[in-house]
Amino acid sequence: MIELTEVSKVFNQGRPNECRALRGISLRLECGGITVFKGPSGSGKTTLLTLVGCLARPTAGRITLDGQLLSNLPERFLTEVRRHTFGFVFQQFNLIRGLTVLENVMLPAYPLGRPHHQLRAAAQTLLDRFGIGGKAGSRIEWLSGGEAQRTALARALINDPAMVIADEPTANLDSALSREVLALLGELALQGRTVLISSHDPLVFAADHVKRLIELRDGQMVGDGSC
Amino acid sequence: MPALLERQKYLIDYTLAALLRHKTRNLGLLLVYALLVFLFSSVLLLSQSLRREAATLLQDTPEVMVQRLVAGRHDLLPAAWLEPLRRIRGVSAVQGRLWGYYYDPAVKANYTLMVAPDRDLAANDILIGAALARIRQLSIGDILSLPTTTGKPLPLKVAGILDAASELLSADLMLLSETGYRTLFNPPPDTYTDAVLTVRNRREARTVAEKIALALPGSRPILRTEILRTYDAVFNWREGIVFITLGAVLLAFMILAWDKAAGLSAEEKREIGILKAIGWETGDILRMKLWEGALLSLTAFLAGYALAYWQVFYGGTRLFAPVLKGWAMLYPDFRLTPAVDLLHVLALLAVTVLPYIVATLIPIWRAATADPDAVMRG
Ligand SMILES: Nc1ncnc2c1ncn2[C@@H]1O[C@H](COP(=O)(O)OP(=O)(O)O)[C@@H](O)[C@H]1O
Ligand SMILES: [Mg+2]
């Protein structure tokens, strides 16, 4: 369970271009199911996900994960938490060019030093499951949007995280591909993982297994509904 | 700890892939880097082995050498001086030497001609150094004719090739008999070029020299240590000039490395961000970059050093020899004895590899310690 208490994030604090991206968000996120953060562009969805996913620290407020305070954890431990708890699917996919699909999927596990054949097999299994096993040896540059999205999803799962964070997962896909990706995310929720999605795409709000819809505007929570 | 090993293997794998991904850039850097190491190690290897050869050469030089000065210039030494020299306390042996130079216009090089009384050479027999034999294409039994002072050529028969541990020692050397020498140069009878003394006690050499100067006005005793010192001074001076020049090259390289590193490309920054976001620690990224720097600079180092080693000892040393040897124009080409000084290699490694790695790591460290949330926003 993740709990946010009065969390704020200010960019460029004290400078003329100061930007208050989040203003005093308090929120409890229970485990399991899909939670969607909706809101217009610039409302702070991405910022909120980066804080929850330990990619950045809040300017003020507390974040706890299963009772453990994250906001003042040293960098090293934060990485540790990030590595074992969260898998990320970025809006721009953020796959590394020049590497193959398989290598990209294996990448998050390198620092863990798992035996190579075992890691390789795990990555291949994930790719097979997402229907792109045949692309394992291809370079990232040659993938279509849907294939890149699945690769990113496989990469997010390689360390078997309890939570998957997906930022606008359908933003670069057409409706058919969007539905497929949502189905995959739904499957993850079925397996008992917690899935956090940010989106302003109505397709996402209506997807299966979405159990909660949180609405943001100007860095504040303006709606919180169960589905 | 197999996991630890496996981890390093993954990091190296990733590093190699990363290096190959930017093939042209890294290859360019590798070339410049290797060239730099090549230049530095060439000078170092060359000067070091010249120094070594010179030390070998001077080892056999007697403690004290006596010349005769006339009007401040080196002149022939009368044989009558040998007896008074022998009588000076502390001197155990005195020998008059006959030697001179011969400039051979055919090969544009100077030979050192020296009488070797202990070799029992027949009147027209000579022993020559290996470099000289090579340059004049002479082998045992061949005849070398040199013009005498009267203009008549003197045929000299090569009785043997000198083999010395150091080629510098014998490169330009031609040993001949006293008869041959006197026929060739026709010096006044009862004179020598100079005299060499052996002293009973090395530490008394300076006192002996003072006594000689008093006993024989017009004599100039020279101590071996003085020769060594002059030699070293000249040599250090030359080496200094070369190193200053190379310093400028090094500086240029540092700027290049710094530029490459400080101007971390947007793509590199993005990559670091992605790696951190997907669970790599700052330490993992630094280790990976350390491998990258180490692989690149060590490859460059090995390539540059090997090339320098080859060119100094086997390739004819065309590059720096004229500056460092100085007398190259007047000296037959010679080959240096291969030698590697581990301390020098380490020093070279320290001045080329370490600064590079440090220069590249600093900006990467800065990028790697930043929060990785930037990757969430393309
Ligand atoms: N690194 C940053 N520096 C300055 N301002 C930022 C930064 N990241 C986000 N912002 C600002 O924070 C606000 C919220 O952004 P974001 O969380 O990306 O919104 P959303 O994902 O809902 O579109 C926006 O006004 C954006 O300009
Ligand atoms: Mg966003």
Side-chain angles (χ1 to χ4, degrees), chain B residues 234-250:
Chain B
V234 169
F235 203 72
N236 284 338
W237 175 78
R238 288 176 185 286
E239 208 180 31
I241 290 195
V242 174
F243 268 112
I244 287 170
T245 318
L246 284 184
V249 179
L250 182 70

Side-chain angles (χ1 to χ4, degrees), chain B residues 161-208:
Chain B
I161 311 282
L162 292 165
D163 62 335
S166 143
E167 255 195 46
L168 179 61
L169 197 68
S170 62
D172 69 330
L173 198 61
M174 179 187 293
L175 297 181
L176 67 175
S177 68
E178 183 164 350
T179 328
Y181 181 90
R182 292 200 181 271
T183 319
L184 198 62
F185 293 122
N186 196 26
D190 291 326
T191 57
Y192 291 100
T193 314
D194 57 19
V196 291
L197 320 186
T198 320
V199 291
R200 275 199 198 94
N201 185 346
R202 261 173 186 231
R203 273 172 296 176
E204 277 174 23
R206 188 163 293 279
T207 332
V208 169

Side-chain angles (χ1 to χ4, degrees), chain A residues 42 45-47 91 167-168 198, chain B residues 376-377:
Chain A
K45 305 182 295 292
T46 301
T47 306
Q91 189 174 351
D167 193 19
E168 314 252 5
S198 84
Chain B
M376 289 285 258
R377 340 189 172 252

